[in-house]
Each structure stands twice: as C-alpha cells, then as structure tokens.
Amino acid sequence: MNAFGAWEMPEEYRLLRDNVRRFMAEDVRTAEDQVEHDAYKLPPHLLNPLQDKARAMGLWALGTPEQYGGAGLNALGYAVVAEEAARCRMGSYVWAAGAFGMDPPEIIWAGTAEQINEYGIPSVKGDRKGYFAISEPSGGSDPARAIQARAIRDGDDYILNGTKTWITAAGISDWGIVFARTGKPGDRGGISAFIVDSDNPGVSFREIDVIRSYSPWEVFFTDCRIPSSKRIGEEGEGFKILSRFLGINRIPYTANCIGTAQYALELAIDWAKSRTVFGSTLAEKQAIQWMIADSEMELQAARMLVYQAAWALDMGKPFQVESSIAKVTGTETAGRVVDRCIQIFGGMGVTHELPLERWHRELRIKRIGEGPSEVHRMVVARHLLGTKA
Ligand SMILES: Cc1cc2nc3c(=O)[nH]c(=O)nc-3n(C[C@H](O)[C@H](O)[C@H](O)COP(=O)(O)OP(=O)(O)OC[C@H]3O[C@@H](n4cnc5c(N)ncnc54)[C@H](O)[C@@H]3O)c2cc1C
C-alpha cells in the first residue's frame, strides 16, 4: 500500500499464485491426463508425488489452521490458491486433483481437545475423512426451520433418528458432523452438533446420482446411539457454533469457480485464434470477440468482489453480506462464461475430449450449494431494507 492508500496484490500472493499455476500446469494436469474424464480421484501412484510436492510448498489442507497441520492461509491467500487450484479437469470439486489434501468440516475445531485429536487432526493428515450434514429432505436452504432429525437424551447418550440428504462424500467417510434437534421445532437454539462414526450400527447410507460423479449421499439414522462426549459444544448451541464459521468457505468456494471459468476462457481464446470458419478465424468475428470480452470483464469484476469479501474477513470486519454478493456474482458469472466457451468450441465443446462439459455440469451445482443464489440475494436485500425473513 502506498502513502495514499493505493493497493496492489502483495508480492507474496502474486508469487503464491504463480507457483500454484505452474504446479497445476506442470504436475497436476499431467497426472490428471491419465485418468478418465469424470474421475474424481487419482490413483496413489499419481497422487502421492503431487501431495509430497504440495506439502513441501506449504500447501496442505488449505482451509485448516496451521496449529492443526493445515496451510494456515488468511482469506485472501486462500482465495488466490483456490482460484488456481481449479485449473484442472476435476478442479471444480477436487481442487488440484487432491494434491492439497482435504480439510475436515471446520466446526470440528470448535470441539474438545479429544475430539480434535481423534477426528480433526487425523483427517487433516489424510488418515480419516469426515462429512458435514445439515441438509434434510425437508429443506436445505433454511435448515434452522427444516431440521427434523431428533436426538433424545438417554442417560449419558443421545438416541438420534432422522435423515440427512445431499451429503457430499458421506458414504466414503468414516465419521461425520450431524446437526439434530435437541430442543423445540423451528428453534435455532434447539439444534445440537454431533460427531457420528460411520460404523455406528444405527447409520446407513444411500448414494445419490447427480450431474457430477463425486456423489452426495443420503444418510439414515435409526436409533443411533451417540455418547454425549461426541457432542460439539453445549446442547442447543449447534447453530451458534456454526455461525462462527458461516460464510468463510464461500470465499474460496467462489474463487474456485472463477478459476475454472478463467481457465475455460483461456482455452476458448486459443481455439478462437486457430479455428477458421467462413474464411477467417473465430477471433476475427465480432460475435466471438464480444463473448470473450464480456467474459473477461465479468470475471475481473467477480474476482474483485471475492477479494473484497476476503479483505473484510482478514481485517476482522463484517463480511457476510460481502461473501453473499461475491458468491452469487462469482458462481453465476462462472456458469455463464463456461457456457459461452462451449459455444465458441461448437461441437467440440460438449465432447469428453475437453473438460468444458464437465465444468458446465459441476458449476451448475455451485448456484445451489453453499446456499442457493436466491438465499444470498435475500441476505443482501435484508441488509439494505432492514427486513426480516
Ligand atoms: C451436489 C450437492 C452436494 C451437497 N453437499 C452437501 C453437504 O455436504 N452437506 C449438506 O448439509 N448439504 C449439502 N448439499 C445441500 C445443499 O446445501 C442444499 O441443496 C441447498 O442448501 C438447497 O436446499 P434444498 O436442496 O433442500 O432446496 P430448498 O431449500 O427446497 O430450496 C429450493 C429452491 O428454492 C429457492 N429458495 C430457497 N429459499 C428461498 C428464498 N428465501 N427466497 C426465494 N427462493 C428461495 C432456491 O431457488 C432453492 O434452490 C448439497 C447439495 C448438492 C446438490
């Protein structure tokens, strides 16, 4: 920052961006080229060397605090890396093809030392895997009202009954964080968070086929006995604890969508320069130029909104409205840009020769996950109008 407050991206983050971009091009995409179009993981002989290199770069478990073995990035650094980590075929959901490891659901860090040691840290290391389950068939947009899963006290245990749905990776995880009602229906204060082991005899899973290959699952709890030592925080405090983390993930989530779309645009630009139709290249057609120009302008604007939300969070200022604005703009822009890129490629755009059709499907989900666009618009409108739900 200069004496007049003018700002540019700090050198440290520019270097970080360049290093990750090089890693994606030289290592990650080369490995990923060897697996099928819709794969969502690499075999160990391809993944292990990438993970070793990522650890050496200090980029392991990007969203996890350093004290628990994660990269400990601030929000701006995380946004920068999340954008670059999108630049591979599976990068929309499996960042850098898994090279940076996975973060456990962050609410585990609000747990006790025992919970953190048993579930959080082994999951950062990659020895365990956890899912996050709040959505239910009764509705995911407004979980505080919709949650019907109920946990009833039985001595020093709880008995949990209910169903969660759309839960990413639940069936391939060995534990999860599950939100259930312990108080009155419709009451935010009546919800508690529990750690549930997947080998608990009261838990079962059903895979749900959706437009991405990385499945969500339905999770059924039938007289599932959970010791009270597995509750995170106090009874009825589940939502309050969650609200400490709410909105933080939306920033890298959106940055990642922008990264996918930026990379798609680069592929489309290369194609437009080389493809000839009606006696000249696509690059010389105004219709194509405008698609490319509009895409670049919209992506630059969306990126600035992500940075704005990240700056607010890093400076300890309110960032919820900023993260909603960024989330809607970034996810909707990314979908539109990839759609235009497919158009520029013509028939090739919808083949499995290119990653575009996969990104198109996966980006469609991003307007629903992490809160649908309408809910974020509602957050912005409420902020401006001072209205309630
Ligand atoms: C692939 C995938 C993975 C997911 N992974 C997870 C996960 O790991 N864990 C988890 O807990 N959940 C997960 N979800 C659930 C996701 O968070 C919910 O789908 C989302 O919150 C919407 O909930 P819903 O599907 O029940 O839609 P509903 O709540 O029924 O909403 C339907 C639609 O209504 C509209 N709407 C909602 N509220 C308003 C409003 N106030 N004003 C106007 N319109 C509105 C929106 O268009 C919304 O899309 C996942 C979903 C998908 C599709």
Side-chain angles (χ1 to χ4, degrees):
M1 193 173 300
N2 72 12
F4 305 102
W7 190 92
E8 64 173 359
M9 177 68 84
E11 174 73 8
E12 189 188 341
Y13 294 124
R14 278 184 279 148
L15 282 175
L16 185 62
R17 181 193 57 204
D18 296 346
N19 284 340
V20 179
R21 188 169 294 197
R22 202 171 317 111
F23 176 59
M24 296 300 296
E26 292 173 3
D27 300 274
V28 174
R29 292 205 291 273
T30 320
E32 194 191 50
D33 282 346
Q34 299 174 56
V35 297
E36 56 99 11
H37 180 73
D38 253 346
Y40 63 87
K41 58 183 173 194
L42 296 177
H45 74 279
L46 295 174
L47 183 58
N48 294 345
L50 295 180
Q51 292 194 334
D52 290 345
K53 195 160 179 178
R55 283 180 199 269
M57 291 163 78
L59 293 173
W60 185 257
L62 302 175
T64 295
E66 217 169 352
Q67 71 194 101
Y68 303 125
L73 295 166
N74 68 0
L76 184 59
Y78 194 6
V80 167
V81 179
E83 181 173 343
E84 297 306 317
R87 296 170 69 92
C88 63
R89 188 168 8 105
M90 64 176 90
S92 187
Y93 275 100
V94 187
W95 298 6
F100 299 140
M102 296 286 266
D103 298 299
E106 60 272 85
I107 188 175
I108 190 65
W109 309 126
T112 60
E114 289 76 26
Q115 291 168 344
I116 288 174
N117 287 330
E118 189 177 348
Y119 295 95
I121 291 174
S123 302
V124 173
K125 288 183 178 155
D127 300 335
R128 304 196 71 174
K129 186 172 173 62
Y131 64 85
F132 174 86
I134 195 162
S135 303
E136 297 194 5
S138 50
S141 299
D142 184 13
R145 289 186 181 83
I147 286 180
Q148 291 174 4
R150 176 161 282 282
I152 295 174
R153 266 274 190 186
D154 182 33
D156 202 29
D157 296 340
Y158 288 85
I159 307 291
L160 171 64
N161 280 287
T163 302
K164 295 287 170 185
T165 194
W166 313 123
I167 309 306
T168 295
I172 54 169
S173 298
D174 66 328
W175 64 281
I177 291 181
V178 178
F179 288 77
R181 200 164 287 287
T182 44
K184 293 194 298 270
D187 175 16
R188 268 180 178 239
I191 294 168
S192 303
F194 298 95
I195 300 169
V196 183
D197 292 306
S198 298
D199 62 2
N200 185 314
V203 186
S204 56
F205 301 93
R206 185 183 72 85
E207 193 166 3
I208 308 171
D209 275 338
V210 292
I211 54 177
R212 71 173 196 210
S213 61
Y214 187 41
S215 288
W217 299 68
E218 227 172 342
V219 192
F220 306 97
F221 304 95
T222 313
D223 295 331
C224 176
R225 184 171 286 276
I226 308 167
S228 58
S229 61
K230 304 283 178 187
R231 195 188 60 229
I232 296 184
E234 295 302 316
E235 184 173 303
E237 300 268 286
F239 239 80
K240 200 166 147 196
I241 299 167
L242 183 63
S243 63
R244 276 166 37 200
F245 300 95
L246 216 61
I248 295 179
N249 263 339
R250 279 173 204 141
I251 300 170
Y253 184 93
T254 308
N256 175 267
C257 297
I258 292 169
T260 303
Q262 190 73 53
Y263 183 38
L265 183 60
E266 289 165 22
L267 298 179
I269 289 171
D270 283 348
W271 177 254
K273 287 198 226 166
S274 63
R275 181 72 167 175
T276 299
V277 294
F278 290 91
S280 62
T281 62
L282 288 174
E284 289 164 89
K285 319 282 183 206
Q286 193 180 52
I288 302 296
Q289 290 172 355
W290 285 22
M291 281 196 232
I292 288 170
D294 283 347
S295 297
E296 178 64 19
M297 292 189 290
E298 290 166 23
L299 284 171
Q300 286 201 23
R303 183 178 297 107
M304 284 302 138
L305 292 174
V306 168
Y307 289 172
Q308 185 166 307
W311 287 326
L313 174 57
D314 284 338
M315 292 173 79
K317 295 186 173 171
F319 68 95
Q320 300 289 352
V321 173
E322 283 73 12
S323 77
S324 285
I325 293 173
K327 202 269 177 180
V328 175
T329 311
T331 53
E332 294 187 357
T333 297
R336 211 164 41 242
V337 168
V338 169
D339 188 75
R340 284 189 196 121
C341 294
I342 289 177
Q343 195 68 18
I344 293 170
F345 271 97
M348 276 303 288
V350 292
T351 65
H352 286 195
E353 301 290 308
L354 293 170
L356 293 158
E357 74 81 34
R358 177 173 178 168
W359 292 338
H360 190 255
R361 283 184 279 122
E362 296 188 340
L363 283 173
R364 183 61 190 85
I365 307 171
K366 306 270 185 162
R367 287 155 50 197
I368 298 169
E370 279 289 328
S373 290
E374 292 72 21
V375 171
H376 291 294
R377 287 191 164 88
M378 180 184 77
V379 169
V380 178
R382 273 191 203 164
H383 172 71
L384 295 172
L385 297 164
T387 51
K388 290 207 166 109

